[in-house]
Amino acid sequence: MPAVVVVAVVMVMFALGYRYYSRYLADRVYGLDPTYVTPAHQLTDGVDFVPTNRHVLFGHHFTSVAGAAPIVGPAIAVFWGWGPALAWVVLGTIFAAGVHDFGALAVSVRHRARNIGTLAADVISKRARALFLIIIFFLLTLVNAVFAVVIGNLLVAYPGAVIPIFVEIPLAIAIGQYIYRTRRPALVPSIAGVIILYVLIWVGNIWPIEITGLADQLGFAQPRDLWVIILFAYTFVASRLPVWLLLQPRDYINSHQLFIALAVIFVGVLVGLDRIVAPLVNDVPAGSPSIFPFLFITIACGAISGFHSLVASGTTAKQLDRETDARYVGYAGALGEGSLALGSIIAVTAGVAASRAEWDNLYATHAAASGGATRNFVNGIASFAANLGVEFQLATVFAAVVVISFAATTMDTGVRLQRYIVQEIAELVGWRRVARNLTLAGLLAIAAPLALALLPGGGDAGYTFGVLWRLFGTTNQLTAGLALAVIAVWVLRRRRNPVAVVVPLVFLLAMTTWALIVQLREFVRADEWVLAPLDAIIFVLAVWLIVEAALALRRAGGPRTESGAIPGPRPAPDNSGAEHGTESDARQALDPPQR
């Protein structure tokens, strides 16, 4: 199968999805109102609430959600065949991810930019808020741990990426300061930042930074662990900085990188006339994980991801300039994520191997597919870049920088979101010192994922890609299902048709609960007494929340009650009414008081 044909067909389907389906969602399901005053304007504080140009916000949102997951997940999932993997990416992106990401952003904006877990209290029940917050905490713990190990492994394997990755941080801060002080558009300085970054890739290729010797001297079992500690120290500091200073300019630089990487893949495929050598449907070895349900949790980001609802409602909603921008930022952002997943599938089926036999050797077992996912992607990208005349070794550093940059921005956002969640949970249980102290909340936010990332037995064949990735995927998809439950109840209470939300909701909850049961049995049989209790806790919370959501949907579908219904769409919403509240009420509801 010529890879360029697959690329062309999928991109046309994505374009049609945005043109028609996202318009249907905007007009008929979510009822966007261009006159609605968004929280970014009501609660402007120059730190978190910042009205932002929709193109800049798209860059921030897109790169925050487009971490390593839409690369790694599809790169593993082609183990079952590129046909099933691609089908889930395309259908999931158009009919699930777009609905989910767009909906989480729209609902959050109508509720003072509160995160999706907090909204569960208003929309489902007060108990649901606490349950949802705990699940989100587990998800963020897994997200931050997984991406820290992914980045650590890549920095060890590709030391030429160290200089460009770490110089990008002060470079982004300089660009953020320039944009903030001059109030000039971000396009030109961010493009200049990308050019500097790519010059640094050439520099890094000449002077790679190895830390193996230093890690040995400090007593680390493997050099990756030293990188993991450095990364969490950095994200702790980064989570304290205003979004305009580092997060936005870095994400905007990385959004350009993303388009460049996609161009390298798609143009490289066209120039090289690469063909997909992997099987359409693979005859996997006996004892491998079954395609149902594990395909649908292996490809999380890239088809649908609960983490996106946390970003959409946790940071993006605080920066949305106009409510109608939610269609572009939310739905198009999901399509961008699907495009990256498409690129990953093409890279590991057409770029990484020249023949079926060579590909079969790389994907001989599920463990081999999991352990080699990022390496296969990097080598696939490098082969496409080589079609364009780039030296292979330099191209591998470029591809590694792309993956690390996306994973690092996800960690930046993930740690910031986990600090918010820690503060909210602390407020619920009465730990006011934690709720009000950013430093203490930030330390607690990084403690759990840091410990998980440093568990012994990691590496390519250990927790991260063998077991922890699947648990991350399950929790991620579960969070997506629960976010869809919140969105579905909200839509139904507004007397709009919820079918577009309910269909992916039911499918995801079925796949994730199925996977949790299967994994629990596997963990117990393997004596995994760290992951088995974690799986069991998440399963209990999931079942409880599913029951709460079902009851809420039943109530929402019944007759209106004076106390229970959220008012339907209004031609000109009252921005001081119950949905929006006063400015002081909104601030109090958003995040715990901070100092």
Side-chain angles (χ1 to χ4, degrees), residues 384-401:
F384 295 146
N387 291 341
L388 303 176
V390 181
E391 191 267 328
F392 186 82
Q393 176 60 32
L394 183 63
T396 60
V397 177
F398 159 74
V401 167

Side-chain angles (χ1 to χ4, degrees), residues 8 43 71 146 175 209 220 246 248 313 398 405 420 493 553:
L43 308 176
I71 293 171
V146 164
I175 292 173
I209 306 297
F220 288 97
L246 175 59
Q248 281 186 352
S313 63
F398 159 74
S405 296
Y420 293 159
R493 286 185 176 180
L553 280 168

Side-chain angles (χ1 to χ4, degrees), residues 35 41 73 148 183 188 287 299 316 523 537 548 557:
T35 69
H41 288 282
R183 302 296 180 182
V188 173
I299 302 180
T316 307
F523 292 156
I537 292 171
E548 294 278 355

Side-chain angles (χ1 to χ4, degrees), residues 276-340:
I276 295 176
V277 298
L280 181 68
V281 178
N282 193 23
D283 185 15
V284 300
S288 302
S290 61
I291 190 170
F292 285 94
F294 289 110
L295 171 69
F296 304 97
I297 65 167
T298 299
I299 302 180
C301 303
I304 180 172
S305 166
F307 180 74
H308 296 190
S309 69
L310 308 186
V311 175
S313 63
T315 59
T316 307
K318 296 181 174 79
Q319 303 169 61
L320 198 72
D321 184 34
R322 301 175 63 202
E323 188 177 64
T324 48
D325 291 345
R327 178 192 176 205
Y328 173 70
V329 175
Y331 196 94
L335 294 178
E337 186 92 335
S339 301
L340 183 56

Side-chain angles (χ1 to χ4, degrees), residues 383-468:
S383 72
F384 295 146
N387 291 341
L388 303 176
V390 181
E391 191 267 328
F392 186 82
Q393 176 60 32
L394 183 63
T396 60
V397 177
F398 159 74
V401 167
V402 169
V403 180
I404 294 169
S405 296
F406 297 160
T409 54
T410 300
M411 272 195 72
D412 285 353
T413 303
V415 170
R416 183 181 291 262
L417 291 172
Q418 193 152 16
R419 173 171 62 80
Y420 293 159
I421 297 300
V422 167
Q423 290 179 275
E424 289 202 47
I425 293 174
E427 188 76 16
L428 279 177
V429 300
W431 295 347
R432 295 192 176 276
R433 183 179 179 185
V434 175
R436 296 169 182 266
N437 190 310
L438 286 178
T439 300
L440 187 55
L443 289 173
L444 290 175
I446 66 171
L450 175 60
L452 196 58
L454 295 178
L455 276 175
D460 283 351
Y463 284 127
T464 300
F465 292 109
V467 177
L468 192 58

